[in-house]
Amino acid sequence: MAKSEKYAVGVDLGGTNIKVGIVSESGRIISKTSVKTEAMSGPKVVIKNIKKGINEILKNNKRKISGIGIGAPGIVSTKKGTVQNPPNLPGWDEIELGAIIKKEFGLKVNVENDANAAAIGELIFGAGKKFESFVMVTLGTGVGGGIVFNHKIFRGEIGGAGEIGHVCIDPNGPRCNCGSTGCIEAYAGNHYIKESVKKDLHNHPSSKIWELIENDLEKVSPRVIQMAAELGDVYAKEFIHDLGIKLGVAFTSISNVLDISTFIIGGGVAGFGSPLFTTIKSTMVSRVLTPLKHRIKIVPAKLKNEAGILGASALVFYNT
Amino acid sequence: MAKSEKYAVGVDLGGTNIKVGIVSESGRIISKTSVKTEAMSGPKVVIKNIKKGINEILKNNKRKISGIGIGAPGIVSTKKGTVQNPPNLPGWDEIELGAIIKKEFGLKVNVENDANAAAIGELIFGAGKKFESFVMVTLGTGVGGGIVFNHKIFRGEIGGAGEIGHVCIDPNGPRCNCGSTGCIEAYAGNHYIKESVKKDLHNHPSSKIWELIENDLEKVSPRVIQMAAELGDVYAKEFIHDLGIKLGVAFTSISNVLDISTFIIGGGVAGFGSPLFTTIKSTMVSRVLTPLKHRIKIVPAKLKNEAGILGASALVFYNT
């Protein structure tokens, strides 16, 4: 197989780093590199850095490359290869990233929203292989989402679909980064989890978290909460349980609207693992409409650290 | 046009009545009738009544009929023509309604979920003509929904998609008929509106509603609230405003997930009209993600009393 296998370049355009890799058609990472995004210097510099990363990875490559896949934040037109208003990349308006990279390297270029690329990655290489339809959830800095329906990404009117982080579970809830209130991201985003525990920990003086953070609240992180929970800490366990309920409430709304029953969950916060997943599932089963109840599946994502590169390269092999 | 125009039979299978009509390809109702559903007598009797209604309408018909369209509650497989567990029709499990009616009348039969049929009706004959994608909302006994994306119904895994009445806006909210809590239907469904006003009206002794209902709380209805609001009643106006906010919160979640920006709103409660629509829109514009803000449209449905018959007949002319 190895001889006839195809290869692609996958580019994961993040707000801090641009990760670039050469990936085989079967999802094997051959080589990878990372360059700084320098987002604050504006699109010209960012594009220069994308080119730099791709050049670096192609320098010693002898394999035939089928194309370049790019996962980018913001509204992406997959047809036009444009990236519009990416939240963490100032000054972009609308940029023809696909055409620019194609011109530079003379290769086919597929651009896709990063959350959708993650969903396609799971669909082609990961936990989504055996499902025709699922909602991909990335619990990280934000709560990202991608909707796969009948093996295709559901994109909506202008490519903005899948923003499941901004499903509201309480209009009187906390302020969300998007400007609204009570979005599930305002409970489950990395930053909100930290802030919530930092505020609340004083009410739990015997929590094992104190020891793990050496009494320095700045060290609170989802990882620390997870460790405390694994040590049996009641507060940490309750925090994860409560988060699972909130995510279950949001996912129930999504499931009822889409009639999609499988949720694949990745990102750092998914590290809470089985206690989180079990609560999400039991919450959903108790809340969704009857025809969905026996179908609900909560599945951990398979692609971990290289999800971005893998998802981006999958765009080349699988044109949705 | 009239000479070469095509005709279909539209069947609106409701929990109380079965409405049947002959409808032209352009949405003109030629004739109509209504028979009792007798839902409690089980599927055999209901099917007999459907046949009775169709026979009645075909008795004196001389036009060539292209087919029969049926809008039915519950999970409908449009491919198989089956109707599964319709909420208001006891004892149905799964019934091959399409095949049964086709066998009886020797005509092409299209079966569709009633909320989806309403969406198709608006798409073909009504307010949806000029949109490629929209969410159809029917504010009636329940809160029904149908998702039109690129001129097609989005059906989900087994045909259950579009249950927008069961988007949760507050997990600690009132009990919903579906078994969950805080669904938008538990605020905006006809019955919930009545109960809410009946409970609350004693705190508003000067409300004009008292006069309109002649002090008989059993007479509270959306129509009465609307009349009071039109007379300038502050309580009635605030009730409608508050309902608009709640609907706006639910629709925001839907819009963020689907990236669909147009909502077409029908059903009796849509009679609240402009005050309701304005509040839904302003709530959504303030809450949706930035790329959606300038695109949000709230549009009244065009098909009124005959929406069911028209939507059902549209299934014959427009096979989604």
Side-chain angles (χ1 to χ4, degrees):
Chain A
M1 178 171 179
K3 255 194 171 173
S4 64
E5 209 173 17
K6 289 175 181 166
Y7 299 90
V9 171
V11 179
D12 176 14
L13 173 55
T16 311
N17 294 302
I18 301 164
K19 296 180 189 164
V20 186
I22 293 179
V23 181
S24 78
E25 201 179 8
S26 63
R28 203 161 36 95
I29 295 180
I30 308 299
S31 59
K32 58 178 179 171
T33 186
S34 176
V35 297
K36 291 276 167 220
T37 309
E38 299 182 285
M40 300 314 290
S41 306
K44 277 196 181 174
V45 173
V46 174
I47 289 168
K48 194 193 69 185
N49 289 333
I50 296 173
K51 290 177 184 173
K52 187 175 138 191
I54 299 174
N55 271 316
E56 219 169 85
I57 206 81
L58 288 178
K59 210 166 45 190
N60 296 316
N61 170 61
K62 295 210 164 60
R63 291 175 170 88
K64 187 172 160 10
I65 301 293
S66 303
I68 300 170
I70 305 176
I75 300 281
V76 173
S77 163
T78 52
K79 275 185 195 151
K80 295 190 284 176
T82 54
V83 178
Q84 206 183 329
N85 297 318
N88 303 318
L89 303 176
W92 272 55
D93 294 342
E94 187 167 3
I95 286 186
E96 296 186 336
L97 187 60
I100 293 169
I101 301 300
K102 187 180 173 181
K103 196 178 161 196
E104 180 79 11
F105 295 96
L107 286 164
K108 176 181 97 158
V109 177
N110 295 94
V111 189
E112 176 58 279
N113 168 271
D114 50 5
N116 287 345
I120 294 171
E122 290 294 332
L123 177 68
I124 306 302
F125 301 134
K129 275 185 183 178
K130 56 180 173 185
F131 299 107
E132 293 188 0
S133 305
F134 61 87
V135 178
M136 173 71 204
V137 184
T138 305
L139 299 173
T141 310
V143 175
I147 300 165
V148 173
F149 179 65
N150 281 347
H151 291 282
K152 298 270 177 199
I153 293 287
F154 180 87
R155 291 198 172 76
E157 288 173 358
I158 64 162
E163 286 285 4
I164 65 169
H166 303 284
V167 166
C168 176
I169 62 164
D170 179 4
N172 302 311
R175 174 71 51 187
C176 178
N177 203 24
C178 75
S180 190
T181 52
C183 301
I184 185 63
E185 179 164 307
Y187 300 92
N190 218 317
H191 173 73
Y192 299 93
I193 289 178
K194 275 191 212 176
E195 289 307 310
S196 161
V197 171
K198 275 165 72 177
K199 260 190 214 156
D200 205 24
L201 203 57
H202 285 291
N203 301 321
H204 304 274
S206 65
S207 167
K208 292 192 202 320
I209 295 178
W210 283 112
E211 212 175 302
L212 291 165
I213 61 172
E214 295 164 312
N215 293 322
D216 177 1
L217 282 175
E218 290 311 309
K219 291 188 183 163
V220 168
S221 72
R223 181 79 188 113
V224 163
I225 302 166
Q226 184 188 331
M227 285 163 71
E230 283 164 8
L231 293 168
D233 184 56
V234 174
Y235 169 69
K237 281 161 77 176
E238 274 175 4
F239 183 89
I240 293 171
H241 182 69
D242 186 57
L243 185 64
I245 292 175
K246 290 187 164 76
L247 286 165
V249 167
F251 296 176
T252 295
S253 293
I254 296 165
S255 233
N256 285 340
V257 169
L258 295 176
D259 187 28
I260 292 181
S261 55
T262 302
F263 286 71
I264 297 179
I265 303 181
V269 175
F272 286 157
S274 164
L276 181 71
F277 288 28
T278 308
T279 312
I280 293 174
K281 182 167 179 181
S282 62
T283 304
M284 287 188 75
V285 169
S286 81
R287 299 186 69 92
V288 289
L289 293 169
T290 308
L292 276 159
K293 280 191 195 295
H294 66 283
R295 289 152 53 209
I296 295 299
K297 286 178 204 69
I298 306 297
V299 182
K302 261 199 189 153
L303 315 184
K304 305 287 177 190
N305 291 333
E306 280 92 13
I309 290 176
L310 287 165
S313 71
L315 303 171
V316 173
F317 303 125
Y318 189 83
N319 205 339
T320 57
Chain B
M1 176 169 178
K3 254 194 172 173
S4 65
E5 210 173 16
K6 289 174 182 169
Y7 299 90
V9 171
V11 179
D12 176 14
L13 173 56
T16 312
N17 293 302
I18 301 163
K19 296 181 190 164
V20 186
I22 293 179
V23 182
S24 78
E25 201 179 9
S26 63
R28 204 161 36 94
I29 295 180
I30 308 299
S31 59
K32 58 177 178 171
T33 186
S34 177
V35 297
K36 291 278 167 218
T37 308
E38 299 183 284
M40 300 314 289
S41 307
K44 276 197 180 172
V45 173
V46 174
I47 290 168
K48 194 194 70 186
N49 288 332
I50 296 173
K51 290 179 184 172
K52 187 176 139 191
I54 299 173
N55 271 317
E56 217 169 85
I57 206 81
L58 288 177
K59 207 165 47 188
N60 296 314
N61 170 61
K62 295 211 164 58
R63 292 175 170 87
K64 186 171 160 14
I65 301 294
S66 303
I68 300 171
I70 306 176
I75 301 280
V76 173
S77 162
T78 52
K79 274 186 196 152
K80 296 189 283 176
T82 53
V83 178
Q84 206 183 328
N85 297 318
N88 304 318
L89 302 177
W92 272 55
D93 293 341
E94 187 168 3
I95 285 185
E96 295 186 336
L97 187 60
I100 292 168
I101 301 300
K102 188 181 172 184
K103 195 178 164 195
E104 180 80 10
F105 295 98
L107 287 164
K108 177 181 95 157
V109 178
N110 296 94
V111 189
E112 176 59 279
N113 167 271
D114 49 5
N116 287 344
I120 294 171
E122 290 294 332
L123 177 69
I124 307 300
F125 301 134
K129 274 185 184 178
K130 57 181 173 184
F131 299 107
E132 292 188 359
S133 306
F134 60 87
V135 177
M136 172 72 205
V137 183
T138 305
L139 299 173
T141 310
V143 174
I147 300 165
V148 173
F149 179 65
N150 281 348
H151 293 282
K152 298 271 175 196
I153 292 287
F154 180 87
R155 291 196 171 78
E157 288 174 357
I158 63 161
E163 286 285 4
I164 65 170
H166 304 283
V167 167
C168 175
I169 63 165
D170 179 3
N172 302 311
R175 175 69 51 187
C176 178
N177 203 24
C178 75
S180 190
T181 52
C183 300
I184 186 62
E185 179 164 307
Y187 300 92
N190 218 317
H191 172 73
Y192 299 93
I193 290 177
K194 275 191 211 176
E195 289 307 310
S196 161
V197 171
K198 275 165 72 176
K199 261 190 213 155
D200 204 26
L201 203 57
H202 284 291
N203 300 320
H204 303 273
S206 65
S207 167
K208 291 193 201 326
I209 294 176
W210 284 113
E211 212 175 302
L212 291 165
I213 60 172
E214 295 163 313
N215 292 323
D216 177 2
L217 282 174
E218 290 311 308
K219 290 189 185 165
V220 167
S221 73
R223 181 79 188 113
V224 163
I225 302 167
Q226 184 187 334
M227 285 165 70
E230 282 163 9
L231 292 168
D233 185 56
V234 173
Y235 169 68
K237 281 161 76 176
E238 275 175 5
F239 183 89
I240 293 171
H241 181 69
D242 185 56
L243 185 64
I245 292 175
K246 290 187 165 74
L247 287 165
V249 167
F251 295 177
T252 294
S253 293
I254 297 165
S255 234
N256 285 340
V257 169
L258 296 176
D259 187 30
I260 293 182
S261 55
T262 302
F263 286 70
I264 298 180
I265 303 181
V269 175
F272 287 156
S274 165
L276 181 71
F277 287 28
T278 308
T279 311
I280 293 174
K281 183 167 178 179
S282 61
T283 303
M284 286 188 75
V285 169
S286 81
R287 298 186 71 92
V288 288
L289 293 169
T290 308
L292 277 159
K293 282 193 193 295
H294 66 284
R295 289 152 53 209
I296 296 297
K297 287 178 203 70
I298 306 296
V299 182
K302 262 199 187 150
L303 314 185
K304 306 286 178 192
N305 290 335
E306 279 94 11
I309 291 176
L310 287 165
S313 71
L315 302 172
V316 173
F317 303 126
Y318 189 83
N319 205 339
T320 57

